[in-house]
Amino acid sequence: MMRSLFSGVSGLAINMCRMDVIGNNVANVNTVGYKGSRTTFDETMTQLLHGATAPTGALGGSNSTQVGTGARLGTIDTIFTQGSLESTGIDTDLAIQGRAFFVLSDGASTYYGRAGSFQIDGSGQFVNPSNGYTLQGFAYDRVTGDFSNLPSTLKLPLGEVEPAKATTELNYRGNLNADSEPRGTMSQSAIFYGESGDVAVLTDTLDGLKADPAGVLDLLTEGDRLAFSATVGGVPVGGALTLTAGMTMADLLGALEASLNQVEDVDGIEVTLTPNGRIHVATPDGLGKRAEVSGLVIQAESPSLVPRDDFNGLAAMTQTQAARDASVFVEESTIYDSLGFSHIVRLEFTRLLGANQFEWRAIVDNGDTPILSGGTGKVTFNADGSFNGFFYDAAGDIIPTRLSISPTTGATTPLEIELDPGEPGGFGGMTLVNADATLEATNDGFTKGTAVDFRIDRRGQVVSIFSNGVTRPVGKLAMAEFVNPTGMVRIGDNLFQASVNSGKPLIGTAGGAVEADVFSGSLEQSNVDLAREFTNMILAQRGFQASARTITTSDEVLNELLNLRR
């Protein structure tokens, strides 16, 4: 009977311990980064009443007879399941997705935790505000461009000044519209027929022209006067012709062509007769709007000034193609000299006729800043629209490789800038396809700036943001992983320390040696499941009640035994 009493006592003890763990879990249901615990029980020593016997002869064997003496606490385990993430919008709030831990230090010892409610102290350090422990990371060395191999306290460079940097390259990316070549005017009349009834040809006489194949009446007669008027490139022109015997369509077209080509610097306007008998006027594509023919009128009248309406109706010109100049695409970029003064570089790309190429020229500060060399050239494209080559015009015997300017601000001169349009044969830089122009440029220069903000990306990299738009790495958060995280020791403040059974920490960075993601502006919530805890609470209560009943029942049996003497 004494065994049952002690078994009941052990049941009371372990269920009371289980309630302690459950109570702690429930109390921390809203604790940031808290990891819940659980209890496991083991049976205690069992008393052997008699041992097992082996089968002998006709007798079979018998099992041993044992009686237990109760239960004891086996383990109290920490459950490191992922907690849900809550967005807070505070940049210094950090949450981990994965098995890793933040690394903190008090200057003497190292601690690990999941709670990411950090703040920045007066010296720019990331700290746990409840105890002042500093967040550890791998500092970035701006001289070498490498991150440190040993973790140290992460510190933001508050008020740090980023000196001005002169621009050394302009990177051009985007499209120039392929539908950008210059075009000339095209216009044509109605169909004329010759005296034979066929469509008119150059050798047909003017006084034998007909309005249709079966025409009886002539459109023109000897002595008629033909007048031409038009505007060529905005300049009015005109001419006249008196019809004489034997005059042909070739004479008419020649006179019209001569009148249209009389404008200075305009040449090459052609007046022809199409195979279907139409008068056709075409201006050179290369001249664009400079040779645009508009308002062309061919009028005929008799010697008595009576209009030849039938002829005039057929000679009315209909425009089939409007003139346009070569497209000019402009991209303006802001660059900086060594003193941080800004300059506007304007590149103009003018389409050339008959080839996938453009002439380009640079203008700096509307011409106020001198260009020393490399200010003009050509850019060419392949038949598929990919970039082919970017060329500079020679300056004497020297072919420049950069745009060289002379700032008038007192900055270092010359300021040489590489113009980078992309890789030949590729579509990653400048292209020439039939789509809207989207050309834009970026450069590597900037003016002086001051650190005004920061951000932390998913790989735990802390980046300082300067007022001039420049970003610089500050460091990367140190992340720790353990072979056996349940072997760590809780020390309070949502922190753990390594133990001999947790294994040595593997310290690295998120996305590198450590498989984890960091979310800035979020916090990991407690992983305690209230429904499970309330269920476990009921089980613990029932276990405690049953153990208590074991004690009271054993007590009653002992009382009956004592009453046997009476």
mmCIF file of all heavy atoms in Angstrom, residues 449-481:
data_model
loop_
_atom_site.group_PDB
_atom_site.id
_atom_site.type_symbol
_atom_site.label_atom_id
_atom_site.label_comp_id
_atom_site.label_asym_id
_atom_site.label_seq_id
_atom_site.Cartn_x
_atom_site.Cartn_y
_atom_site.Cartn_z
ATOM 1 N N GLY A 449 25.955 64.070 -50.419
ATOM 2 C CA GLY A 449 24.738 63.703 -49.706
ATOM 3 C C GLY A 449 25.030 63.337 -48.262
ATOM 4 O O GLY A 449 26.181 63.118 -47.866
ATOM 5 N N THR A 450 23.964 63.263 -47.464
ATOM 6 C CA THR A 450 24.055 62.903 -46.048
ATOM 7 C C THR A 450 23.140 61.720 -45.777
ATOM 8 O O THR A 450 22.043 61.635 -46.331
ATOM 9 C CB THR A 450 23.637 64.090 -45.159
ATOM 10 O OG1 THR A 450 24.431 65.232 -45.499
ATOM 11 C CG2 THR A 450 23.821 63.766 -43.692
ATOM 12 N N ALA A 451 23.588 60.810 -44.908
ATOM 13 C CA ALA A 451 22.780 59.641 -44.564
ATOM 14 C C ALA A 451 21.499 60.088 -43.867
ATOM 15 O O ALA A 451 21.544 60.768 -42.840
ATOM 16 C CB ALA A 451 23.573 58.691 -43.675
ATOM 17 N N VAL A 452 20.355 59.712 -44.426
ATOM 18 C CA VAL A 452 19.074 60.160 -43.877
ATOM 19 C C VAL A 452 18.133 59.002 -43.541
ATOM 20 O O VAL A 452 17.159 59.181 -42.824
ATOM 21 C CB VAL A 452 18.351 61.107 -44.866
ATOM 22 C CG1 VAL A 452 19.126 62.400 -45.027
ATOM 23 C CG2 VAL A 452 18.143 60.443 -46.221
ATOM 24 N N ASP A 453 18.406 57.812 -44.035
ATOM 25 C CA ASP A 453 17.484 56.692 -43.795
ATOM 26 C C ASP A 453 18.232 55.385 -44.032
ATOM 27 O O ASP A 453 19.414 55.383 -44.389
ATOM 28 C CB ASP A 453 16.277 56.801 -44.731
ATOM 29 C CG ASP A 453 15.054 56.059 -44.206
ATOM 30 O OD1 ASP A 453 15.183 55.380 -43.157
ATOM 31 O OD2 ASP A 453 13.979 56.129 -44.831
ATOM 32 N N PHE A 454 17.529 54.285 -43.840
ATOM 33 C CA PHE A 454 18.132 52.975 -44.073
ATOM 34 C C PHE A 454 17.030 51.990 -44.427
ATOM 35 O O PHE A 454 15.832 52.265 -44.265
ATOM 36 C CB PHE A 454 18.884 52.484 -42.822
ATOM 37 C CG PHE A 454 17.969 52.071 -41.702
ATOM 38 C CD1 PHE A 454 17.603 50.736 -41.539
ATOM 39 C CD2 PHE A 454 17.442 53.013 -40.823
ATOM 40 C CE1 PHE A 454 16.747 50.356 -40.517
ATOM 41 C CE2 PHE A 454 16.592 52.642 -39.803
ATOM 42 C CZ PHE A 454 16.243 51.308 -39.647
ATOM 43 N N ARG A 455 17.434 50.833 -44.914
ATOM 44 C CA ARG A 455 16.498 49.732 -45.151
ATOM 45 C C ARG A 455 17.239 48.422 -44.922
ATOM 46 O O ARG A 455 18.470 48.361 -44.963
ATOM 47 C CB ARG A 455 15.929 49.780 -46.565
ATOM 48 C CG ARG A 455 16.922 49.466 -47.678
ATOM 49 C CD ARG A 455 16.225 49.249 -49.019
ATOM 50 N NE ARG A 455 17.165 48.879 -50.072
ATOM 51 C CZ ARG A 455 17.729 49.710 -50.906
ATOM 52 N NH1 ARG A 455 17.459 50.994 -50.817
ATOM 53 N NH2 ARG A 455 18.561 49.275 -51.830
ATOM 54 N N ILE A 456 16.463 47.376 -44.665
ATOM 55 C CA ILE A 456 17.013 46.041 -44.444
ATOM 56 C C ILE A 456 16.288 45.100 -45.386
ATOM 57 O O ILE A 456 15.048 45.026 -45.368
ATOM 58 C CB ILE A 456 16.844 45.589 -42.981
ATOM 59 C CG1 ILE A 456 17.506 46.599 -42.037
ATOM 60 C CG2 ILE A 456 17.415 44.197 -42.776
ATOM 61 C CD1 ILE A 456 17.274 46.317 -40.568
ATOM 62 N N ASP A 457 17.041 44.377 -46.212
ATOM 63 C CA ASP A 457 16.393 43.502 -47.185
ATOM 64 C C ASP A 457 16.221 42.092 -46.619
ATOM 65 O O ASP A 457 16.577 41.808 -45.464
ATOM 66 C CB ASP A 457 17.169 43.478 -48.507
ATOM 67 C CG ASP A 457 18.577 42.907 -48.365
ATOM 68 O OD1 ASP A 457 18.837 42.164 -47.395
ATOM 69 O OD2 ASP A 457 19.425 43.194 -49.233
ATOM 70 N N ARG A 458 15.673 41.191 -47.432
ATOM 71 C CA ARG A 458 15.346 39.846 -46.958
ATOM 72 C C ARG A 458 16.584 39.016 -46.674
ATOM 73 O O ARG A 458 16.494 37.984 -46.021
ATOM 74 C CB ARG A 458 14.460 39.133 -47.983
ATOM 75 C CG ARG A 458 13.084 39.734 -48.106
ATOM 76 C CD ARG A 458 12.196 38.968 -49.060
ATOM 77 N NE ARG A 458 11.980 37.597 -48.639
ATOM 78 C CZ ARG A 458 11.132 36.763 -49.222
ATOM 79 N NH1 ARG A 458 10.423 37.177 -50.265
ATOM 80 N NH2 ARG A 458 10.985 35.531 -48.793
ATOM 81 N N ARG A 459 17.726 39.434 -47.170
ATOM 82 C CA ARG A 459 18.977 38.735 -46.881
ATOM 83 C C ARG A 459 19.684 39.330 -45.671
ATOM 84 O O ARG A 459 20.819 38.976 -45.375
ATOM 85 C CB ARG A 459 19.896 38.772 -48.110
ATOM 86 C CG ARG A 459 19.352 37.945 -49.272
ATOM 87 C CD ARG A 459 19.377 36.471 -48.919
ATOM 88 N NE ARG A 459 18.780 35.620 -49.934
ATOM 89 C CZ ARG A 459 17.597 35.041 -49.834
ATOM 90 N NH1 ARG A 459 16.858 35.247 -48.751
ATOM 91 N NH2 ARG A 459 17.131 34.250 -50.769
ATOM 92 N N GLY A 460 18.994 40.238 -44.984
ATOM 93 C CA GLY A 460 19.560 40.820 -43.775
ATOM 94 C C GLY A 460 20.602 41.881 -44.021
ATOM 95 O O GLY A 460 21.339 42.257 -43.099
ATOM 96 N N GLN A 461 20.694 42.386 -45.243
ATOM 97 C CA GLN A 461 21.676 43.432 -45.534
ATOM 98 C C GLN A 461 21.112 44.786 -45.148
ATOM 99 O O GLN A 461 20.035 45.175 -45.579
ATOM 100 C CB GLN A 461 22.061 43.421 -47.008
ATOM 101 C CG GLN A 461 23.077 44.507 -47.373
ATOM 102 C CD GLN A 461 23.701 44.298 -48.728
ATOM 103 O OE1 GLN A 461 24.528 43.425 -48.916
ATOM 104 N NE2 GLN A 461 23.305 45.105 -49.702
ATOM 105 N N VAL A 462 21.858 45.506 -44.330
ATOM 106 C CA VAL A 462 21.468 46.844 -43.898
ATOM 107 C C VAL A 462 22.082 47.847 -44.862
ATOM 108 O O VAL A 462 23.296 47.848 -45.087
ATOM 109 C CB VAL A 462 21.938 47.123 -42.457
ATOM 110 C CG1 VAL A 462 21.461 48.498 -41.995
ATOM 111 C CG2 VAL A 462 21.435 46.036 -41.518
ATOM 112 N N VAL A 463 21.236 48.692 -45.446
ATOM 113 C CA VAL A 463 21.678 49.637 -46.465
ATOM 114 C C VAL A 463 21.364 51.051 -45.999
ATOM 115 O O VAL A 463 20.227 51.344 -45.604
ATOM 116 C CB VAL A 463 20.981 49.358 -47.818
ATOM 117 C CG1 VAL A 463 21.406 50.393 -48.854
ATOM 118 C CG2 VAL A 463 21.310 47.955 -48.297
ATOM 119 N N SER A 464 22.361 51.910 -46.045
ATOM 120 C CA SER A 464 22.177 53.315 -45.677
ATOM 121 C C SER A 464 21.753 54.109 -46.910
ATOM 122 O O SER A 464 22.291 53.909 -48.006
ATOM 123 C CB SER A 464 23.478 53.875 -45.109
ATOM 124 O OG SER A 464 23.295 55.193 -44.634
ATOM 125 N N ILE A 465 20.771 54.990 -46.747
ATOM 126 C CA ILE A 465 20.238 55.795 -47.846
ATOM 127 C C ILE A 465 20.642 57.252 -47.621
ATOM 128 O O ILE A 465 20.377 57.813 -46.550
ATOM 129 C CB ILE A 465 18.713 55.667 -47.936
ATOM 130 C CG1 ILE A 465 18.327 54.185 -48.117
ATOM 131 C CG2 ILE A 465 18.162 56.500 -49.085
ATOM 132 C CD1 ILE A 465 16.834 53.946 -48.048
ATOM 133 N N PHE A 466 21.264 57.849 -48.649
ATOM 134 C CA PHE A 466 21.744 59.225 -48.530
ATOM 135 C C PHE A 466 20.780 60.185 -49.237
ATOM 136 O O PHE A 466 19.985 59.779 -50.092
ATOM 137 C CB PHE A 466 23.141 59.345 -49.128
ATOM 138 C CG PHE A 466 24.197 58.633 -48.324
ATOM 139 C CD1 PHE A 466 24.384 57.266 -48.447
ATOM 140 C CD2 PHE A 466 24.983 59.331 -47.420
ATOM 141 C CE1 PHE A 466 25.345 56.601 -47.704
ATOM 142 C CE2 PHE A 466 25.956 58.677 -46.672
ATOM 143 C CZ PHE A 466 26.133 57.307 -46.813
ATOM 144 N N SER A 467 20.890 61.437 -48.881
ATOM 145 C CA SER A 467 19.971 62.456 -49.414
ATOM 146 C C SER A 467 20.137 62.666 -50.909
ATOM 147 O O SER A 467 19.245 63.206 -51.561
ATOM 148 C CB SER A 467 20.194 63.787 -48.678
ATOM 149 O OG SER A 467 21.547 64.215 -48.806
ATOM 150 N N ASN A 468 21.263 62.236 -51.482
ATOM 151 C CA ASN A 468 21.474 62.381 -52.923
ATOM 152 C C ASN A 468 21.012 61.151 -53.700
ATOM 153 O O ASN A 468 21.281 61.031 -54.887
ATOM 154 C CB ASN A 468 22.955 62.652 -53.218
ATOM 155 C CG ASN A 468 23.866 61.572 -52.644
ATOM 156 O OD1 ASN A 468 23.408 60.579 -52.099
ATOM 157 N ND2 ASN A 468 25.166 61.783 -52.771
ATOM 158 N N GLY A 469 20.341 60.228 -52.993
ATOM 159 C CA GLY A 469 19.817 59.035 -53.645
ATOM 160 C C GLY A 469 20.772 57.863 -53.669
ATOM 161 O O GLY A 469 20.408 56.770 -54.103
ATOM 162 N N VAL A 470 21.995 58.060 -53.207
ATOM 163 C CA VAL A 470 22.977 56.981 -53.196
ATOM 164 C C VAL A 470 22.679 56.025 -52.046
ATOM 165 O O VAL A 470 22.238 56.438 -50.967
ATOM 166 C CB VAL A 470 24.397 57.558 -53.055
ATOM 167 C CG1 VAL A 470 25.433 56.451 -52.885
ATOM 168 C CG2 VAL A 470 24.733 58.413 -54.264
ATOM 169 N N THR A 471 22.875 54.752 -52.260
ATOM 170 C CA THR A 471 22.732 53.750 -51.207
ATOM 171 C C THR A 471 24.067 53.052 -50.997
ATOM 172 O O THR A 471 24.789 52.776 -51.956
ATOM 173 C CB THR A 471 21.664 52.710 -51.558
ATOM 174 O OG1 THR A 471 22.000 52.061 -52.790
ATOM 175 C CG2 THR A 471 20.296 53.379 -51.711
ATOM 176 N N ARG A 472 24.390 52.784 -49.739
ATOM 177 C CA ARG A 472 25.646 52.120 -49.401
ATOM 178 C C ARG A 472 25.371 51.018 -48.380
ATOM 179 O O ARG A 472 24.641 51.225 -47.407
ATOM 180 C CB ARG A 472 26.650 53.110 -48.785
ATOM 181 C CG ARG A 472 27.091 54.220 -49.716
ATOM 182 C CD ARG A 472 27.921 53.704 -50.861
ATOM 183 N NE ARG A 472 28.447 54.775 -51.690
ATOM 184 C CZ ARG A 472 28.934 54.588 -52.906
ATOM 185 N NH1 ARG A 472 28.957 53.372 -53.424
ATOM 186 N NH2 ARG A 472 29.396 55.614 -53.599
ATOM 187 N N PRO A 473 25.966 49.814 -48.559
ATOM 188 C CA PRO A 473 25.821 48.772 -47.534
ATOM 189 C C PRO A 473 26.468 49.202 -46.229
ATOM 190 O O PRO A 473 27.518 49.858 -46.219
ATOM 191 C CB PRO A 473 26.555 47.570 -48.146
ATOM 192 C CG PRO A 473 26.660 47.872 -49.610
ATOM 193 C CD PRO A 473 26.737 49.362 -49.727
ATOM 194 N N VAL A 474 25.821 48.847 -45.135
ATOM 195 C CA VAL A 474 26.381 49.084 -43.804
ATOM 196 C C VAL A 474 26.906 47.769 -43.233
ATOM 197 O O VAL A 474 27.968 47.724 -42.618
ATOM 198 C CB VAL A 474 25.322 49.686 -42.867
ATOM 199 C CG1 VAL A 474 25.862 49.803 -41.443
ATOM 200 C CG2 VAL A 474 24.884 51.052 -43.368
ATOM 201 N N GLY A 475 26.165 46.716 -43.445
ATOM 202 C CA GLY A 475 26.559 45.404 -42.939
ATOM 203 C C GLY A 475 25.462 44.402 -43.205
ATOM 204 O O GLY A 475 24.420 44.723 -43.788
ATOM 205 N N LYS A 476 25.691 43.178 -42.766
ATOM 206 C CA LYS A 476 24.689 42.120 -42.864
ATOM 207 C C LYS A 476 24.433 41.554 -41.483
ATOM 208 O O LYS A 476 25.374 41.375 -40.689
ATOM 209 C CB LYS A 476 25.171 41.002 -43.798
ATOM 210 C CG LYS A 476 25.204 41.377 -45.263
ATOM 211 C CD LYS A 476 25.604 40.169 -46.112
ATOM 212 C CE LYS A 476 25.592 40.516 -47.595
ATOM 213 N NZ LYS A 476 25.983 39.338 -48.425
ATOM 214 N N LEU A 477 23.177 41.278 -41.179
ATOM 215 C CA LEU A 477 22.828 40.721 -39.886
ATOM 216 C C LEU A 477 23.482 39.353 -39.721
ATOM 217 O O LEU A 477 23.479 38.527 -40.642
ATOM 218 C CB LEU A 477 21.311 40.559 -39.756
ATOM 219 C CG LEU A 477 20.461 41.827 -39.834
ATOM 220 C CD1 LEU A 477 18.988 41.463 -39.694
ATOM 221 C CD2 LEU A 477 20.854 42.805 -38.745
ATOM 222 N N ALA A 478 24.029 39.120 -38.540
ATOM 223 C CA ALA A 478 24.563 37.798 -38.214
ATOM 224 C C ALA A 478 23.413 36.896 -37.801
ATOM 225 O O ALA A 478 22.583 37.263 -36.971
ATOM 226 C CB ALA A 478 25.591 37.898 -37.089
ATOM 227 N N MET A 479 23.343 35.717 -38.405
ATOM 228 C CA MET A 479 22.317 34.725 -38.103
ATOM 229 C C MET A 479 22.997 33.469 -37.568
ATOM 230 O O MET A 479 24.079 33.088 -38.039
ATOM 231 C CB MET A 479 21.520 34.353 -39.352
ATOM 232 C CG MET A 479 20.782 35.510 -40.011
ATOM 233 S SD MET A 479 19.154 35.777 -39.279
ATOM 234 C CE MET A 479 19.465 37.301 -38.409
ATOM 235 N N ALA A 480 22.366 32.813 -36.579
ATOM 236 C CA ALA A 480 22.945 31.607 -35.988
ATOM 237 C C ALA A 480 21.986 30.437 -36.125
ATOM 238 O O ALA A 480 20.762 30.601 -35.983
ATOM 239 C CB ALA A 480 23.281 31.848 -34.518
ATOM 240 N N GLU A 481 22.538 29.273 -36.410
ATOM 241 C CA GLU A 481 21.778 28.021 -36.423
ATOM 242 C C GLU A 481 22.456 27.022 -35.492
ATOM 243 O O GLU A 481 23.690 27.051 -35.336
ATOM 244 C CB GLU A 481 21.689 27.439 -37.836
ATOM 245 C CG GLU A 481 20.609 28.043 -38.701
ATOM 246 C CD GLU A 481 20.432 27.286 -40.014
ATOM 247 O OE1 GLU A 481 21.317 26.477 -40.350
ATOM 248 O OE2 GLU A 481 19.418 27.507 -40.693
#
